[in-house]
Amino acid sequence: MKNAFFYQGRIGVRPIADLDIMASLSYAYADEKPNGYVDDEYGIELDLTATYKITNNLSYMLGAGYLWTGDYFKYNSNANKIDDNFMVINKLTLTF
């Protein structure tokens, strides 16, 4: 990521031996707002993941993220429409 200040806070818990839950909150804004841009804020993102250890070498992870998109992406006009974004991640990991 270029031209950005990026801040992130993370917290995790392990309610049982085989389950890890993690949450992170991130905020980013442009170091130098380009000429003509409406704002310098990239946005705020919240991520949640849960990883379950099935066996010693097999784990399953499920995650979700939501981005409240900042006005930086409106470029040079407040009339430009932008949407918030989300994603869901599903991952099975085998290590050997």
Side-chain angles (χ1 to χ4, degrees):
M1 185 178 248
K2 295 181 180 179
N3 187 33
F5 281 108
F6 181 81
Y7 301 96
Q8 184 178 57
R10 302 174 92 183
I11 189 167
V13 294
R14 181 174 287 163
I16 60 174
D18 294 334
L19 178 64
D20 287 316
I21 300 172
M22 195 271 300
S24 69
L25 183 66
S26 307
Y27 173 71
Y29 65 94
D31 178 27
E32 296 178 13
K33 183 176 81 168
N35 291 333
Y37 275 57
V38 171
D39 197 9
D40 65 349
E41 185 178 88
Y42 290 122
I44 299 170
E45 182 174 339
L46 176 64
D47 298 311
L48 299 169
T49 60
T51 303
Y52 184 74
K53 185 176 178 181
I54 299 169
T55 64
N56 284 339
N57 62 344
L58 183 65
S59 63
Y60 174 71
M61 190 270 287
L62 180 63
Y66 193 88
L67 172 66
W68 290 273
T69 307
D71 288 344
Y72 179 89
F73 298 101
K74 287 185 177 181
Y75 180 55
N76 63 357
S77 173
N78 272 323
N80 291 336
K81 300 277 185 190
I82 56 172
D83 292 325
D84 295 338
N85 293 292
F86 71 93
M87 70 176 186
V88 177
I89 299 171
N90 181 21
K91 179 173 79 168
L92 189 62
T93 303
L94 176 65
T95 56
F96 52 94

